């Protein structure tokens, strides 16, 4: 169950944030979320987030695209109506394969790119008219926010966070 | 400082000795007399294995002898067929004689293009002010030391094949062929021996001059108090890249495309460039891994390896793109004067021709796509060896069909030519590596490169 109370520690510098994350991790506190205005290089490693598998999905989508291209053109050009078009050999797929490569390539890229983007949207829960989950609008401009769950240890957490250079520490009740 | 280990030195000398012996053997056994070739063909026809074409030629000519007495018309026919038979045997005889020359030339060009490819790579790294690669500059400089001897050897073999040999590589060097061939005659303003040699020497002079000057400024920068040498190096590199792309194109027309003087392709220069670039980078990766495993490159880490492997991956695909573009455009339009090039490769070289696409494209794309695999040395080594073999086959496919035709085989002449030049390459490159410290000292991007992290 998600803790009903969280602490929002706000930083104004990404280097300070990085060292704060390392300190909080060293004290074995669980970081719920971090909000930054831009990608902070190495933040995922410091937080101990699992590496993304989106590249693997893209590879598989690419294979799907390649298969679609091959099956489609094999059916249309070879099986369904093998016409003689300008003397191209439509007897088997392999004989006319070079002519199909541009399409095979493009569909591979098309499937890999688009399906990967859609996967990304789904996994990150992003869509039009989605309600923004922004705890503090300043985090889209020049502030960094670390959210830590509180389990009755707010005093200890607050002193720890103050030590790490947070400019603002707020105790927020999440249960509405 | 690197010291050339005695073991490696002995190894390279053994390679060269074995290579010389094998090449000598190749030349000794390639001069067959007319009768020998005739019996060889008759035997092949008798066995009927694979060489159906020979069987057809040999059989009617013998029949013709038998029917000599049946009248004049028959006799004439018989003469024509005997004539054809003679021509065929002479053709095969020439192909057999070409084989050691072509084997030597392919291997010489292959190792030269590794050095030349890395010279271009080096110039690009400097001109683009790359921050990751300065720790590898000395390895690259070691490799480029092979440009001068390697290119001179290639040009030497090309010229020798037309002066000492019997026009074994370039038929346009044969005045008798040019006399009877309108197409080659029309090109003789470009394709003639003196002009070929002068062009070749200009290319080699330009490349070696840049090699000399880049090495000079690179080592001078180590001891300098300011960055003057670095700036000069930067300017020379940018200038060299312009010179290189012109001369590389012309070199590919001269040294490779002109073995088929009836054929031409506009993107051939780029295609050869892609091949040399990816082979050069692959050898750079192999050398780096070797030197690091011996403890000479502690400042090189897996991130550098990752970047080099990315180049191997990307340029393997770039090579495939150009290979396919050249092939597909010619296949699609199917103009007879262009398409014979691929017809002969498809009929007689099916395995190497299709096989090299697997080696140079399918294999690297599957092996090097994963980011983690690019950081594992033995993985990069295995893939690198496959890529190098694939690009040897690539050069093989460019030269052999025009010189030995369907008489190709990867046997003693080919393998010993590779051994010979591999030994020479190792000897020259590792000797050059001992001449300067393996880490640049005052290069402006040195610190960034040492701490490079991906």
């Amino acid at each position: 169950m998600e803790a009903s109370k969280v602490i929002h520690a706000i930083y104004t510098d990404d280097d300070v944030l990085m060292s704060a994350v390392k300190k909080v991790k060293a004290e074995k506190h669980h970081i719920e979320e971090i909000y930054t205005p831009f990608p902070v290089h190495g933040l995922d490693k410091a937080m101990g987030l699992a590496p993304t598998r989106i590249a693997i999905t893209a590879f598989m989508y690419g294979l799907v695209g390649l298969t679609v291209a091959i099956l489609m053109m094999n059916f249309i050009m070879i099986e369904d109506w093998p016409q003689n078009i300008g003397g191209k050999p439509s007897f088997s797929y392999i004989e006319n394969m070079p002519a199909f490569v541009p399409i095979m390539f493009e569909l591979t890229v098309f499937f890999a790119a688009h399906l990967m983007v859609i996967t990304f949207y789904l996994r990150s829960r992003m869509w039009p008219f989605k309600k923004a989950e922004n705890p503090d609008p300043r985090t889209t401009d020049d502030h960094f926010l670390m959210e830590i769950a509180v389990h009755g240890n707010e005093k200890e957490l607050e002193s720890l966070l103050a030590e790490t250079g947070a400019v603002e520490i707020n105790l927020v009740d999440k249960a509405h | 400082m690197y010291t050339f280990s005695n073991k490696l030195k002995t190894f390279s000398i053994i390679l060269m000795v074995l290579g010389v012996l094998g090449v000598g053997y190749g030349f000794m056994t390639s001069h067959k007399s007319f009768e020998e070739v005739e019996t060889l063909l008759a035997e092949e026809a008798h066995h009927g294995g694979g060489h159906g074409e020979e069987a057809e030629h040999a059989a009617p000519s013998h029949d013709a002898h038998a029917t000599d007495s049946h009248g004049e018309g028959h006799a004439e026919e018989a003469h024509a067929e005997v004539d054809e038979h003679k021509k065929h045997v002479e053709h095969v005889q020439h192909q057999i004689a070409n084989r050691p020359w072509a084997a030597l030339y392919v291997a010489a060009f292959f190792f030269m293009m590794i050095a030349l490819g890395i010279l271009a790579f080096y110039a690009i790294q400097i001109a683009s002010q790359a921050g990751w690669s300065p720790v590898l500059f000395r390895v690259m400089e070691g490799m480029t030391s092979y440009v001068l001897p390697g290119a001179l050897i290639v040009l030497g073999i090309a010229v020798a094949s037309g002066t000492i040999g019997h026009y074994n590589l370039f038929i346009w060097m044969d005045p008798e062929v040019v006399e009877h061939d309108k197409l080659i005659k029309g090109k003789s303003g470009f394709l003639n021996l003196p002009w070929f040699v002068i062009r070749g020497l200009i290319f080699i002079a330009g490349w070696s001059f840049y090699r000399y000057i880049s090495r000079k400024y690179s080592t001078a920068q180590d001891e300098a108090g300011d960055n003057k040498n670095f700036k000069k190096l930067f300017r020379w590199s940018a200038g060299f890249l312009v010179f290189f792309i012109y001369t590389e194109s012309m070199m590919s027309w001269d040294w490779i495309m002109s073995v088929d003087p009836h054929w031409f392709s506009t993107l051939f220069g780029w295609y050869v460039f892609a091949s040399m670039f990816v082979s050069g980078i692959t050898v750079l990766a192999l050398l780096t891994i070797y030197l690091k495993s011996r403890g000479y490159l502690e400042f090189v880490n897996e991130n550098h390896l990752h970047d080099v492997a990315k180049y191997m991956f990307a340029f393997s695909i770039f090579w495939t793109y150009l290979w396919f573009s050249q092939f597909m455009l010619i296949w699609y339009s199917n103009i007879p004067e262009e398409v014979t090039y691929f017809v002969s490769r498809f009929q007689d070289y099916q395995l190497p021709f299709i096989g090299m696409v697997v080696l140079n494209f399918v294999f690297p794309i599957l092996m090097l796509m994963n980011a983690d695999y690019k950081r594992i040395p033995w993985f990069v080594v295995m893939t690198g060896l496959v890529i190098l073999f694939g690009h040897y086959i690539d050069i093989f496919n460019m030269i052999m069909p025009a010189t030995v035709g369907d008489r190709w085989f990867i046997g003693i002449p080919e393998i010993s030519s590779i051994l010979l030049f591999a030994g020479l390459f190792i000897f020259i490159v590792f000797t050059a590596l001992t001449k300067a410290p393996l880490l640049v000292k005052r290069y402006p991007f040195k610190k960034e490169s040492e701490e490079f992290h991906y």
Side-chain angles (χ1 to χ4, degrees), chain B residues 174-228:
Chain B
D174 188 345
E176 215 173 290
V177 170
V178 178
E179 201 53 49
H180 296 102
D181 192 318
K182 257 190 178 169
L183 287 173
I184 301 181
K185 214 174 183 178
K187 295 180 185 184
S188 59
F190 189 81
L191 289 181
N192 60 72
L193 196 54
W195 187 206
F196 177 85
V197 174
I198 292 169
R199 273 197 311 269
L201 289 176
I202 292 173
F203 306 155
I204 296 171
W207 303 334
S208 331
F209 176 70
Y210 171 70
R211 198 275 157 183
Y212 166 78
I213 209 108
S214 62
R215 176 71 162 186
K216 191 182 117 189
Y217 286 132
S218 172
T219 43
Q221 178 66 24
D222 275 3
E223 310 302 332
D226 53 15
N227 287 336
K228 229 183 245 157

Side-chain angles (χ1 to χ4, degrees), chain A residues 10-151:
Chain A
I10 295 179
Y11 299 85
T12 50
D13 187 287
D14 50 337
D15 287 334
V16 179
L17 175 76
M18 279 295 280
S19 59
V21 169
K22 281 173 193 152
K23 233 179 246 173
V24 172
K25 287 300 280 185
E27 297 287 327
K28 303 238 182 293
H29 291 293
H30 177 66
I31 299 172
E32 293 265 303
E33 193 64 88
I34 291 180
Y35 297 87
T36 63
F38 51 77
V40 177
H41 190 76
L43 187 60
D44 52 341
K45 278 225 177 76
M47 286 171 73
L49 297 182
T52 171
R53 287 169 296 186
I54 200 149
I56 299 169
T57 68
F59 180 71
M60 292 193 291
Y61 295 146
L63 292 182
V64 172
L66 185 63
T67 313
V68 167
I70 293 172
L71 292 180
M72 178 180 78
M73 282 179 299
N74 185 46
F75 178 73
I76 297 172
M77 301 299 290
I78 310 295
E79 285 175 9
D80 190 38
W81 196 357
Q83 282 189 105
N84 182 343
I85 303 167
K88 284 279 159 283
S90 301
F91 308 107
S92 70
Y93 190 79
I94 196 73
E95 271 177 288
N96 211 358
M97 208 264 297
F100 302 146
V101 166
I103 299 158
M104 286 155 68
F105 170 76
E106 293 295 348
L107 277 186
T108 307
V109 174
F110 179 89
F111 273 62
H114 288 85
L115 292 180
M116 179 178 79
V117 167
I118 293 170
T119 307
F120 169 73
Y121 285 154
L122 292 176
R123 283 294 286 150
S124 0
R125 317 190 128 268
M126 295 207 300
W127 52 82
F129 311 112
K130 149 114 180 175
K131 198 175 169 300
E133 298 167 357
N134 201 338
D136 190 324
R138 289 176 298 170
T139 60
T140 64
D141 184 13
D142 59 349
H143 284 63
F144 304 81
L145 188 150
M146 189 197 299
E147 184 178 295
I148 301 172
V150 179
H151 302 282

Side-chain angles (χ1 to χ4, degrees), chain B residues 107-374:
Chain B
F109 188 89
F110 177 68
F111 284 96
M112 185 282 288
M113 85 176 185
I114 290 171
L116 189 58
I118 212 68
L119 186 68
F121 187 70
Y122 176 76
I124 290 172
Q125 295 302 312
I126 289 171
S128 65
Q129 308 200 347
W132 68 276
S133 51
V135 292
L136 298 176
F137 277 178
R138 286 293 144 81
V139 184
M140 296 185 208
E141 284 166 18
M143 287 171 69
T144 57
S145 65
Y146 187 74
V147 167
L148 179 60
L152 282 176
I153 289 169
V154 172
L155 187 65
I157 297 172
V159 173
S161 78
T163 50
I164 301 168
H166 195 77
Y167 315 111
N168 296 88
L169 291 171
F170 302 92
I171 53 161
W172 56 261
M173 286 181 184
D174 188 345
E176 215 173 290
V177 170
V178 178
E179 201 53 49
H180 296 102
D181 192 318
K182 257 190 178 169
L183 287 173
I184 301 181
K185 214 174 183 178
K187 295 180 185 184
S188 59
F190 189 81
L191 289 181
N192 60 72
L193 196 54
W195 187 206
F196 177 85
V197 174
I198 292 169
R199 273 197 311 269
L201 289 176
I202 292 173
F203 306 155
I204 296 171
W207 303 334
S208 331
F209 176 70
Y210 171 70
R211 198 275 157 183
Y212 166 78
I213 209 108
S214 62
R215 176 71 162 186
K216 191 182 117 189
Y217 286 132
S218 172
T219 43
Q221 178 66 24
D222 275 3
E223 310 302 332
D226 53 15
N227 287 336
K228 229 183 245 157
N229 294 300
F230 162 71
K231 285 178 186 160
K232 280 184 188 154
L233 182 57
F234 173 80
R235 290 201 193 109
W236 276 108
S237 301
F240 167 72
L241 286 170
V242 177
F243 175 81
F244 174 77
I245 204 61
Y246 281 104
T247 51
E248 189 275 334
S249 285
M250 287 206 264
M251 177 275 283
S252 74
W253 309 336
D254 271 358
W255 296 0
I256 295 192
M257 200 156 80
S258 78
V259 293
D260 290 287
H262 286 177
W263 181 79
F264 47 85
S265 164
T266 42
L267 62 68
F268 198 74
W270 279 106
Y271 171 54
V272 173
F273 168 75
S275 215
M276 65 167 62
F277 209 54
V278 71
S279 320
I281 294 166
T282 305
V283 173
L284 173 66
L286 298 183
L287 271 184
T288 307
I289 290 169
Y290 171 77
L291 289 171
K292 190 171 162 57
S293 75
R294 298 285 139 157
Y296 289 107
L297 301 173
E298 321 82 53
F299 38 85
V300 171
N301 58 41
E302 56 178 13
N303 296 297
H304 297 104
L305 182 63
H306 189 158
D307 260 32
V308 177
K310 272 192 280 190
Y311 270 106
M312 285 163 64
F313 175 74
F315 278 92
S316 287
I317 295 172
F318 180 64
W319 174 87
T320 316
Y321 168 63
L322 293 176
W323 171 82
F324 182 72
S325 301
Q326 176 168 287
F327 169 70
M328 197 262 237
L329 287 178
I330 290 175
W331 171 86
Y332 207 103
S333 55
N334 206 16
I335 301 171
E337 69 184 58
E338 289 178 347
V339 86
T340 45
Y341 185 81
F342 287 112
V343 169
S344 63
R345 276 155 185 79
F346 239 92
Q347 276 172 352
D348 302 328
Y349 288 76
Q350 205 154 41
L351 179 67
F353 189 71
I354 307 291
M356 80 175 171
V357 183
V358 177
L359 296 172
N360 291 342
F361 174 62
V362 181
F363 195 78
I365 201 177
L366 293 176
M367 293 296 126
L368 291 178
M369 195 186 290
N370 191 317
D372 297 331
Y373 292 172
K374 289 199 269 279

